């Protein structure tokens, strides 16, 4: 899968982790280097968080040789998965971890943004809390800067703390070239071609917010990150043309028999 | 209209029960049989007549000379059908060939989709779609901060073949790709650009602040007075998924990423909403900024009722002064607005 682990991991040595990352539902995880796992400094504080810590760690590092019944083994297995997740959150913000996650990001292993205007931009996994057992994993789209629920139920149960609240922001600090160009493209609700007034008023307000931000950034000589040529002026023109052609409120549409024809629309003017 | 006795299910019912066609409403035969509703579709759909017969489950074999004549007479009434008629008649004879059946089938699907686009904007159709909406047939918004708001199927174009069906979330006013890939073969034009917004205007009582999952049985249609309305919709229904604490704040180890950073937030405007929703009442603000109803007064009092005009104009000037004194705080505007209502 990647070159990073090869130097320290023989095929035999990464048996548990291989199994873990290749099992169904664990597609978001990358493989943690053995070096990282065996350095106790990296595991600071986790012994209080994970039950049967030592056994779990042994299992993850494939040195587990305790003779125990199935129930016990199941418990330790569960702890091992939890431990792996918690170490994973720390690992993916290291240089190697970031590089591994970057590869997965480029392959869209975490899925694609469901927002139509993001045009299937790849997502990154993230948590909304760094504490375990609080919130499930979410997916972050760097293009619209919003977070989404994983569409598959097998991912909906993964703890968000296994990815953390910082990783997806750190990756763009480390690899600024990855920051996608932002777009002002958006959906505008319309009825027979006419904008709906309530939505259009909000969109106009949002556009002033955006233009204020751009002006602010330009004043500080910071890159705005928007596509060249997507200038505020052009869009404002577009808005002005159609501004007075909005539908106010619950218009009575006489479409029961007509179906589609435009004259059926009763337009309420802006007062 | 004679329906085929052999098939247990109508073509429409079986089409709507196909995998991936869960969003479709069943167009009533009455709607399809009204030629007015089909205006202009003849030119858009190949083998229109055969397709229409298939949709209505009219057996082509039973369709002998008499009926054909009848239909031709009908067509003569509608003017633009006249020139396509000979071709249609020619094709009719070839349509018995099995290979043509698949062409007709796909034509029928296209025709049904285009009729469907019109039907769901009609009274009966939108009612049927609201039942589907209430029973959660269209799924929920994938955006975390929308808290599983129910979505509506929409098209980004009214012309078939351009884009697939999308889901419109009334909570964030954005469109999303349906989560299941089986919907990626459904044409967006079969739902059209109008339906999503029209649905919300037709049923303003739906409480969009509720999550789609916990209101499966009853989406309460709350009773609200007109004072809760703004720009024609209930205030609480204006993009409830947007606004100050519904925007994602990027943080690193608990610290917000600054706007000045190159990787800082740039898209928060897209999920923003004014804290005081009344800011969006553009009409009232315009009236306040431009001395209330001065324009109206002038136009209405052109016929020499000057004294009557003077008084409100004077008041407006007075109020303008007050506003300047108050230095434009939002509260002041609020007060002036109330005053101007009197």
């Amino acid at each position: 899968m990647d070159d990073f682990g090869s130097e320290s991991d023989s095929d035999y040595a990464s048996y548990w982790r291989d199994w873990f990352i290749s099992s169904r539902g664990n597609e978001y995880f990358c493989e943690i280097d053995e070096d990282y796992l065996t350095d106790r400094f990296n595991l600071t504080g986790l012994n209080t968080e994970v039950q049967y810590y030592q056994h779990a760690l042994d299992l993850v590092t494939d040195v587990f040789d305790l003779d125990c019944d199935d129930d016990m083994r199941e418990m330790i297995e569960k702890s091992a998965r939890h431990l792996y997740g918690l170490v994973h959150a720390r690992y993916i913000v290291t240089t190697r971890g970031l590089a591994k996650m970057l590869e997965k990001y480029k392959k869209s292993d975490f899925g694609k943004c469901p927002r139509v205007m993001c045009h299937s931009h790849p997502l990154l996994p993230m948590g909304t809390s760094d504490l375990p057992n609080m919130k499930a994993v979410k997916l972050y789209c760097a293009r619209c800067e919003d977070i989404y629920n994983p569409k598959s139920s097998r991912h909906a149960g993964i703890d968000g703390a296994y990815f953390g609240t910082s990783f997806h922001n750190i990756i763009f600090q480390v690899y600024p070239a990855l920051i996608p160009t932002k777009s002002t493209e958006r959906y505008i609700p319309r009825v027979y071609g006419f904008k709906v007034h309530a939505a259009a008023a909000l969109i106009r307000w949002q556009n002033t917010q955006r233009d204020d931000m751009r002006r602010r950034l330009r004043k500080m000589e910071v890159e705005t990150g928007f596509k060249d040529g997507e200038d505020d002026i052009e869009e404002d023109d577009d808005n002005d043309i159609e501004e007075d052609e909005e539908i106010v409120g619950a218009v009575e549409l006489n479409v029961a028999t007509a179906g589609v024809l435009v004259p059926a629309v009763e337009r309420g003017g802006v007062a | 209209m004679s329906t085929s006795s052999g098939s247990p299910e109508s073509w429409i019912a079986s089409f709507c029960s196909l995998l991936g066609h869960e969003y479709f409403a069943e167009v009533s035969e009455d709607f399809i049989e009204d030629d007015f509703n089909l205006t202009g579709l003849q030119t858009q759909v190949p083998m229109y007549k055969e397709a229409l017969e298939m949709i209505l489950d009219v057996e082509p074999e039973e369709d002998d000379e008499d009926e054909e004549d009848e239909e031709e007479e009908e067509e003569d009434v509608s003017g633009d059908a006249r020139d396509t008629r000979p071709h249609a008649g020619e094709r009719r004879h070839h349509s018995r060939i099995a290979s043509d059946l698949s062409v007709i089938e796909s034509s029928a699907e296209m025709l049904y989709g285009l009729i469907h686009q019109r039907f769901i904007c009609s009274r009966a159709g939108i009612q049927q779609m609201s039942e589907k909406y209430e029973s959660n047939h269209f799924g929920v918004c994938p955006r975390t901060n929308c808290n599983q708001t129910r979505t509506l199927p929409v098209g980004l174009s009214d012309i078939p073949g351009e884009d697939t069906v999308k889901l419109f979330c009334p909570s964030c006013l954005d469109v999303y790709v349906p989560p299941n890939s089986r919907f990626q073969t459904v044409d967006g034009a079969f739902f059209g650009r109008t339906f999503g917004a029209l649905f919300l205007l037709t049923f303003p009582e739906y409480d969009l602040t509720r999550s789609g999952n916990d209101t499966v049985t009853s989406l309460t249609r709350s009773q609200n007075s007109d004072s809760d309305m703004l720009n024609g919709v209930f205030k609480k229904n204006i993009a409830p998924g947007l606004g100050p604490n519904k925007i994602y704040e990027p943080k690193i180890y608990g610290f917000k990423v600054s706007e000045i950073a190159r990787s800082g937030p740039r898209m928060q405007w897209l999920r923003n909403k004014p804290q005081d929703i009344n800011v969006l009442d553009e009409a009232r603000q315009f009236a306040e900024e431009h001395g209330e109803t001065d324009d109206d007064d002038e136009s209405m009092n052109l016929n020499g009722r000057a004294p009557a005009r003077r008084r409100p104009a004077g008041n407006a000037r007075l109020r303008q002064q007050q506003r300047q004194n108050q230095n434009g705080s939002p509260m002041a505007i609020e007060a002036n607005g109330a005053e101007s209502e009197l």
Side-chain angles (χ1 to χ4, degrees):
Chain A
M1 177 199 132
D2 54 61
D3 313 318
F4 302 99
S6 53
E7 48 190 307
S8 55
D9 302 339
S10 73
D11 285 346
Y12 167 75
S14 63
Y15 175 75
W16 190 88
R17 279 167 287 142
D18 262 354
W19 164 80
F20 180 78
I21 59 163
S22 59
S23 59
R24 206 172 138 79
N26 290 342
E27 292 86 353
Y28 293 169
F29 291 94
C30 69
E31 190 176 340
I32 306 172
D33 289 338
E34 176 135 27
D35 291 356
Y36 191 85
L37 272 168
T38 48
D39 185 339
R40 290 295 164 121
F41 177 73
N42 294 327
L43 310 178
T44 307
L46 294 184
N47 53 347
T48 57
E49 182 57 50
V50 181
Q51 257 190 317
Y52 311 113
Y53 170 76
Q54 194 51 55
H55 294 313
L57 185 60
D58 288 349
L59 189 59
V60 172
T61 50
D62 298 307
V63 291
F64 184 71
D65 56 359
L66 183 72
D67 233 356
C68 59
D69 56 20
D70 283 357
D71 285 351
M72 185 66 180
R73 184 155 180 108
E74 184 53 45
M75 298 272 271
I76 293 170
E77 185 69 41
K78 205 178 147 209
S79 288
R81 289 196 293 266
H82 189 50
L83 176 66
Y84 190 88
L86 294 174
V87 179
H88 188 263
R90 300 180 176 189
Y91 177 70
I92 55 175
V93 295
T94 64
T95 311
R96 280 174 161 224
L98 280 171
K100 281 190 184 180
M101 290 300 263
L102 175 61
E103 285 308 307
K104 288 174 77 71
Y105 172 70
K106 283 181 176 165
K107 286 190 285 176
S108 294
D109 279 359
F110 312 113
K112 290 169 179 172
C113 184
R115 186 170 171 266
V116 174
M117 304 306 166
C118 285
H119 306 290
S120 303
H121 193 84
L123 296 163
L124 281 170
M126 60 162 290
T128 46
S129 166
D130 284 316
L131 300 172
N133 306 319
M134 301 285 280
K135 286 276 167 57
V137 68
K138 306 287 176 211
L139 297 167
Y140 173 78
C141 172
R143 204 172 144 103
C144 58
E145 296 172 6
D146 211 339
I147 55 178
Y148 299 95
N149 302 325
K151 65 179 181 183
S152 166
S153 56
R154 68 174 186 270
H155 295 137
I158 300 174
D159 198 323
Y162 297 167
F163 301 91
T165 59
S166 308
F167 154 71
H168 61 286
N169 293 314
I170 290 172
I171 199 167
F172 291 105
Q173 303 247 320
V174 177
Y175 302 99
L178 285 184
I179 301 170
T181 36
K182 306 295 155 86
S183 164
T184 56
E185 196 187 355
R186 66 175 307 158
Y187 177 73
I188 299 169
R190 287 171 197 268
V191 170
Y192 300 117
F194 300 104
K195 292 179 190 173
V196 179
H197 181 54
L202 178 61
I203 288 168
R204 272 193 291 275
W205 183 85
Q206 289 175 338
N207 287 349
T208 60
Q209 297 288 302
R210 185 187 65 221
D211 295 342
D212 287 352
M213 177 196 73
R214 285 169 135 191
R215 227 165 282 136
R216 225 163 36 231
L217 291 174
R218 232 173 270 148
K219 212 175 271 174
M220 290 183 290
E221 291 170 358
V222 181
E223 256 181 79
T224 57
F226 284 89
K227 244 183 275 173
D228 291 333
E230 249 191 7
D231 237 328
D232 350 0
I233 306 141
E234 287 170 7
E235 275 169 48
D236 285 351
D237 282 352
D238 180 48
N239 282 342
D240 287 342
I241 293 164
E242 285 160 290
E243 202 160 302
D244 26 356
E245 297 181 329
E246 281 162 18
I247 292 181
V248 181
V251 284
E252 185 60 44
L253 285 158
N254 193 9
V255 284
T257 52
V260 287
L261 301 175
V262 179
V265 180
E266 203 182 296
R267 270 200 279 137
V270 184
Chain B
M1 189 56 59
S2 59
T3 47
S4 63
S5 49
S7 61
E9 209 178 22
S10 70
W11 186 92
I12 294 173
S14 66
F15 177 82
C16 291
S17 61
L18 284 176
L19 197 71
H21 291 187
E22 290 85 347
Y23 297 160
F24 282 97
E26 287 191 27
V27 181
S28 66
E29 288 196 6
D30 295 346
F31 187 87
I32 302 174
E33 281 161 19
D34 187 340
D35 280 344
F36 181 69
N37 291 327
L38 310 181
T39 307
L41 294 185
Q42 253 143 329
T43 54
Q44 282 195 62
V45 181
M47 310 194 92
Y48 171 79
K49 205 155 192 184
E50 289 82 352
L52 189 60
E53 281 167 355
M54 183 176 269
I55 291 174
L56 292 171
D57 297 306
V58 184
E59 288 290 333
E61 277 78 19
E62 290 167 17
D63 205 19
D64 54 19
E65 292 288 314
D66 300 342
E67 210 174 319
E68 208 171 313
D69 286 346
E70 232 174 72
E71 277 171 27
E72 277 171 19
E73 269 171 35
E74 273 176 26
E75 269 183 14
D76 280 3
V77 181
S78 63
D80 49 345
R82 216 167 288 157
D83 40 10
T84 59
R85 186 161 44 85
H87 300 285
E90 246 173 61
R91 268 200 231 108
R92 177 174 296 261
H93 297 291
H94 297 296
S95 72
R96 309 292 170 260
I97 304 162
S99 64
D100 268 9
L101 214 63
S102 65
V103 180
I104 300 172
E105 180 69 42
S106 69
S107 275
E109 286 178 15
M110 161 97 82
L111 179 62
Y112 183 79
L114 292 172
I115 297 171
H116 184 266
Q117 179 200 111
R118 299 174 176 195
F119 176 70
I120 56 174
C121 292
S122 73
R123 199 178 298 272
I126 211 161
Q127 188 62 45
Q128 211 185 109
M129 289 301 262
S130 80
E131 282 156 24
K132 287 174 77 71
Y133 178 79
E134 281 175 33
S135 36
N136 215 354
H137 285 193
F138 308 128
V140 295
C141 182
R143 184 171 168 263
T144 303
N145 282 327
C146 279
N147 193 22
Q148 319 262 334
T149 304
R150 288 170 199 218
T151 52
L152 293 161
V154 294
L156 300 183
S157 164
D158 289 333
I159 300 152
E162 294 200 341
D163 213 340
T164 57
V165 66
K166 309 292 178 209
L167 295 173
F168 169 63
C169 171
S171 189
C172 57
L173 302 177
D174 215 333
V175 279
Y176 298 97
V177 179
N180 200 310
S181 59
R182 67 171 179 263
F183 296 111
Q184 271 144 39
T185 55
V186 179
D187 200 315
F190 296 172
F191 296 88
R193 297 187 302 160
T194 296
F195 168 70
L198 184 64
F199 184 90
L200 298 175
L201 292 176
T202 311
F203 304 106
E205 316 90 347
Y206 279 125
D207 188 352
L208 302 176
T209 57
R210 298 279 202 88
S211 133
N213 278 346
D214 52 41
T215 52
V216 177
T217 45
S218 64
L219 286 166
T220 47
R221 300 194 169 188
S222 48
Q223 298 296 315
N224 285 294
S225 64
D226 276 359
S227 61
D228 294 332
M229 304 276 284
L230 177 72
N231 294 340
V233 296
F234 289 114
K235 278 178 192 170
K236 63 171 182 183
N237 275 350
I238 299 178
L242 304 184
N245 42 29
K246 303 286 180 75
I247 305 170
Y248 172 67
E249 290 266 17
K251 284 180 186 167
I252 294 178
Y253 300 126
F255 298 100
K256 279 185 198 171
V257 180
S258 166
E259 188 178 75
I260 304 166
R262 198 177 155 197
S263 66
R266 296 284 184 274
M267 295 294 284
Q268 294 193 331
W269 53 273
L270 185 68
R271 306 306 195 196
N272 207 351
K273 186 172 87 167
Q275 203 129 37
D276 175 15
I277 199 77
N278 292 312
V279 170
L280 297 182
D281 198 346
E282 293 169 336
R284 207 196 61 199
Q285 281 183 342
F286 182 86
E288 279 166 6
E289 275 165 37
H290 295 78
E292 292 116 35
T293 50
D294 264 4
D295 289 350
D296 286 11
D297 285 343
E298 259 168 48
S299 58
M300 275 160 62
N301 297 312
L302 274 178
N303 308 344
R305 288 183 62 186
R309 183 169 64 94
R310 283 272 145 76
R311 193 167 291 201
N315 277 346
R317 220 173 293 133
L318 197 76
R319 272 178 217 131
Q320 198 122 33
Q321 259 171 10
Q322 283 175 349
R323 206 170 301 144
Q324 276 162 2
N325 292 343
Q326 277 154 344
N327 240 346
S329 102
M331 292 310 291
I333 288 170
E334 192 80 8
N336 278 328
E339 200 184 336
S340 69
E341 301 290 329
L342 309 170

